[in-house]
Amino acid sequence: MLTVKEAQDRVAHLTKAAKKAGADAADAIYFCDASTSVSMRLGALEDVSRSEGEGIGLRLFVGRRSASVSSTDMEKAALDSLVERALAMAKEAPEDPYAGLAPEDMLMQSAPQDLDLDDGSEADPQALRARALEVEDVARSVTGVTNSEGGSASHSRMRLAIATTTGFVGGYGTSGHSTSASVLAGEGSDMQRDYDWHSARHLADLRSAEDIGLEAGMRTVAKVKPGRMTSGAMPVIFDPRVGTTIIGALTGAISGSAITRRTSFLLDRLGEQIFAPGITIVDDPYRIRGLRSRPFDGEGLPVRAGKLVDGGVLTTWLLDSASARQLGTTPTGHASRGIGGAPGVTTGNLHIEAGSLSPDALIADIKQGVWVTELIGSGLNGVTGDYSVGAVGFRIDNGKRAGPVAEFTIAGNMKDIFRDLTPADDLEFLFGTNVPTLRTDSMTVASG
């Protein structure tokens, strides 16, 4: 794995070589990810794995024609051969009127703030083994747990660097730590499985193995002997663990590719009320130690913190430079890059702002409903907003969460779900996307 400075030197060399060889413009990206993971099952070592992937990619332009190539060889001679291949490919490519680098006058000019994304740690297999053993032991100790799929702990490091012929050179690194446990409860055909996990940039911010193991065990035992739901229209509560799918539906619908291709159920809704007035959704790429924090986007533009939805009103699309040109506007700092191909879009750390009601108060008036804790499959039509997915959870009877239920489907349309969404006050910042408990009264439940 190269240092950030070495990676920046490589991508800068590549873009200069492309320009010297005759390209009108070019950008290059370096990416490396290394991870070590240890898994334990039933108290015994099950697996130790170490992986490292490193690559560099070049995208160059000849007029409005472009080509992308990549390599895992970091030597300068190999990088020079990339330029020759990319030039030959670009000359045969079709013209794209929207292709090109990000606007030069919008590139990040000053050094970004320190987001503290790397704790400087190195992988310690013995410590990982101890943590994986502890999280599984705690989960297995919960009364009612009958078997285990194992506990795991991992450590990772990442390095990224980007350079453009318009003068941008930047890079950064991250560290990562995670712990998980998955166990089973019940016997025979009534056996149930659940899990818990957490990841953090700094080891000091990682939830304890005891906390994660206990949560995994308790979630699993609570699912034993599930009943069946009554079919019909009723309120649906999304547990924070699955409520993030609501944000996923939004970001997919407002991505530049969905808008330019006119394949979004939110087409032409920019600036309009699409959520309930109390809903605000924040995108914050500058959160210190955030799992999705980054100092610049995949095209060298500064990222920005802001509200995707403000008081229910949609405020922005998520645009890279190509989609922005097609729409006649400017990029929004949401571009993402792999080492091959054109940029896509992504977001920073997302959350729905908390409401004023506790989860108990949120369900107090529900005579019959369901609290969803797990979703099975994916069933969103991005063009119409129609949504249907298998689910697992708990009945809500007379304002109280009751027994477990399984083998049912929840269905509705995301436009309706957005409009009557109500958040509880239990927002926690644990992941890259965080939501409080959410309620919608715009869905139908069908028993399997």
Side-chain angles (χ1 to χ4, degrees), residues 23-177:
D24 294 314
D27 60 5
I29 181 170
Y30 167 89
F31 180 83
C32 183
D33 182 48
S35 65
T36 301
S37 178
V38 177
S39 299
M40 305 290 291
R41 183 172 183 273
L42 301 177
L45 180 65
E46 183 171 64
D47 183 59
V48 179
S49 63
R50 163 76 183 180
S51 64
E52 182 168 336
E54 183 180 46
I56 193 165
L58 171 68
R59 182 176 61 138
L60 60 73
F61 300 86
V62 177
R64 289 296 181 181
R65 304 175 190 271
S66 67
S68 296
V69 293
S70 62
S71 174
T72 57
D73 190 338
M74 298 298 119
E75 295 301 322
K76 291 188 176 181
L79 300 185
D80 291 340
S81 71
L82 277 185
V83 174
E84 297 174 7
R85 284 169 37 205
L87 271 174
M89 292 169 60
K91 291 174 182 178
E92 301 301 322
E95 289 194 353
D96 180 351
Y98 308 113
L101 301 180
E104 185 173 354
D105 61 353
M106 293 183 65
L107 292 173
M108 189 179 73
Q109 300 297 325
S110 58
Q113 67 185 87
D114 181 11
L115 301 175
D116 198 14
L117 301 180
D118 191 339
D119 65 3
S121 60
E122 297 293 340
D124 181 345
Q126 291 301 317
L128 294 175
R129 176 172 178 160
R131 195 163 81 233
L133 178 62
E134 181 184 3
V135 73
E136 190 200 27
D137 281 350
V138 172
R140 291 173 64 200
S141 73
V142 174
T143 302
V145 170
T146 56
N147 207 336
S148 172
E149 292 187 337
S152 68
S154 69
H155 174 278
S156 64
R157 304 295 296 277
M158 185 278 290
R159 296 285 182 270
L160 181 144
I162 294 175
T164 71
T165 51
T166 47
F168 175 81
V169 181
Y172 61 95
T174 67
S175 56
H177 308 266

Side-chain angles (χ1 to χ4, degrees), residues 240-313:
R241 191 165 72 169
V242 297
T244 55
T245 58
I246 302 295
I247 289 187
L250 170 70
T251 56
I254 64 174
S255 68
S257 60
I259 301 305
T260 56
R261 294 172 184 170
R262 304 190 66 80
T263 57
S264 168
F265 65 89
L266 293 178
L267 196 65
D268 302 323
R269 298 298 304 276
L270 186 62
E272 296 184 8
Q273 190 92 33
I274 63 167
F275 278 86
I279 298 294
T280 294
I281 300 177
V282 178
D283 178 13
D284 183 7
Y286 291 124
R287 182 177 301 149
I288 301 301
R289 301 186 182 183
L291 288 173
R292 293 184 183 170
S293 297
R294 56 181 184 162
F296 49 83
D297 82 348
E299 295 181 303
L301 298 181
V303 292
R304 63 189 186 192
K307 298 173 180 178
L308 305 184
V309 173
D310 188 3
V313 175

Side-chain angles (χ1 to χ4, degrees), residues 220-254:
T220 304
V221 171
K223 294 170 66 174
V224 173
K225 296 182 179 180
R228 295 294 185 92
M229 281 300 301
T230 301
S231 298
M234 65 185 72
V236 172
I237 303 296
F238 286 91
D239 189 86
R241 191 165 72 169
V242 297
T244 55
T245 58
I246 302 295
I247 289 187
L250 170 70
T251 56
I254 64 174

